[in-house]
Amino acid sequence: MKTEKITLTNFNGRKFDIHTYMLTNIPNLHRDKKPLVIVIPGGSFNHLSARESEPVALSYNSHGYNSVVMEYNLVQDPGKIYPDAGLDVLTTIKYFRDNSEQYNIDPDKIITIGFSAGGHVASTANTMANMEKYSDKYQFNPKEVRPNATMLGYPLINIDQLGFEIPNDQKDNLPSESELRDSALGVTRETPATFIFQAWDDPIVLISNSIEYIRALYANQVSCETHLFNHGGHGFSLARPETSEKDYQNNPHVAHWFDLSLEWLNNIFE
């Protein structure tokens, strides 16, 4: 495996870092070019969760995927979170499509996975890829920046549907545009096939977020698979002992989401 830190410049001129986890090429395998999973961790927009970063990337590596962990701007960084966080995703996708031969990646199998706040970044990136006002302003081709599939773990979709009050000193850094505050408003028929998993009893990102997004996908005839677990809380990552800070995060039943995601990916791509 080759790992490296790369600094990219997004469509708005902002620099950001990505961390790559690229598998060594083994000749004569059944699947020559590897799919790529772009991991977008959560962290309430004030940090990037380590539990939702490298462990997730390495888990997909173990099943034949190349992976990347993407950093994005946070509330304490200069300027607002958006549009740059979404543009970071789109820039990362284009970078690996343009360099797919170098990284031995199948350019038609690029997947984003966002957790919690990272789910908002991933879904908002899809919104921006689908809207002319963003492609015209930032000069990108939607086909070059749109992922082939998106996975969302306990995702924040609508900033106004949180289970807690946003601190006043952070509100000014959040978007005012309706389609950026609520990424369900940006779903179209061009939105990638989507896999969603969340716990029904999530006290932080209310389950209404996933339900709203599912309804938008259904209304626009976008393929979707959803797993809503009865208990699991918030921020469980892989729901395994090695990614658990609290007892409830080690949940063998909820941990099934990972194998289910692999089955779903195989189904939509193979």
Side-chain angles (χ1 to χ4, degrees):
M1 178 187 292
K2 182 179 180 181
T3 63
E4 61 180 332
K5 176 181 175 181
I6 301 174
T7 300
L8 299 178
T9 302
N10 75 12
F11 293 105
N12 197 30
R14 178 186 179 272
K15 295 185 182 300
F16 66 101
D17 293 329
I18 59 173
H19 303 267
T20 69
Y21 301 82
M22 300 296 171
L23 298 174
T24 302
N25 188 30
I26 302 174
N28 303 318
L29 290 183
H30 175 68
R31 185 165 65 184
D32 181 25
K33 300 292 184 182
K34 296 176 175 59
L36 175 70
V37 174
I38 299 171
V39 181
I40 308 166
S44 301
F45 291 120
N46 58 30
H47 71 285
L48 299 173
S49 170
R51 299 184 307 102
E52 297 164 351
S53 300
E54 185 175 83
V56 176
L58 294 178
S59 293
Y60 282 104
N61 284 153
S62 69
H63 291 273
Y65 290 77
N66 283 330
S67 61
V68 174
V69 174
M70 193 200 85
E71 298 182 5
Y72 54 93
N73 48 319
L74 304 171
V75 291
Q76 61 267 32
D77 296 330
K80 290 190 173 184
I81 294 172
Y82 294 103
D84 284 306
L87 294 174
D88 292 347
V89 179
L90 304 185
T91 301
T92 301
I93 294 168
K94 186 175 189 305
Y95 174 79
F96 285 105
R97 278 224 173 93
D98 290 347
N99 295 279
S100 59
E101 289 296 324
Q102 174 186 342
Y103 291 101
N104 197 40
I105 288 169
D106 186 334
D108 296 322
K109 295 180 180 178
I110 296 179
I111 306 114
T112 53
I113 179 168
F115 296 83
S116 192
H120 192 267
V121 175
S123 59
T124 299
N126 291 342
T127 292
M128 295 173 69
N130 291 336
M131 295 189 67
E132 286 186 10
K133 78 174 189 178
Y134 294 105
S135 59
D136 289 348
K137 182 175 181 178
Y138 298 107
Q139 295 297 293
F140 58 76
N141 182 337
K143 293 182 179 180
E144 295 177 350
V145 303
R146 189 182 294 121
N148 303 103
T150 292
M151 299 186 289
L152 302 173
Y154 37 92
L156 175 61
I157 296 298
N158 187 337
I159 289 175
D160 298 313
Q161 291 187 33
L162 283 169
F164 62 93
E165 183 69 23
I166 298 172
N168 288 329
D169 61 346
Q170 296 183 12
K171 288 182 178 180
D172 290 342
N173 288 44
L174 296 173
S176 56
E177 299 89 342
S178 59
E179 74 276 4
L180 299 186
R181 291 188 68 84
D182 181 358
S183 57
L185 299 177
V187 172
T188 73
R189 293 193 178 187
E190 300 299 322
T191 298
T194 303
F195 180 94
I196 299 173
F197 58 97
Q198 188 174 8
W200 193 263
D201 61 352
D202 190 328
I204 305 298
V205 174
L206 303 180
I207 194 70
S208 55
N209 283 268
S210 287
I211 293 172
E212 181 180 357
Y213 203 74
I214 293 163
R215 292 182 67 179
L217 294 170
Y218 181 77
N220 286 277
Q221 301 178 13
V222 177
S223 175
C224 176
E225 179 166 321
T226 304
H227 298 276
L228 303 180
F229 298 94
N230 60 339
H231 298 298
H234 185 76
F236 47 76
S237 181
L238 295 167
R240 302 199 298 248
E242 63 269 26
T243 57
S244 298
E245 293 178 332
K246 302 173 183 178
D247 288 343
Y248 78 85
Q249 293 169 340
N250 178 22
N251 188 325
H253 178 59
V254 173
H256 287 309
W257 80 258
F258 181 78
D259 288 338
L260 290 166
S261 79
L262 294 173
E263 293 177 9
W264 177 75
L265 288 169
N266 288 336
N267 181 264
I268 65 169
F269 286 139
E270 305 298 341

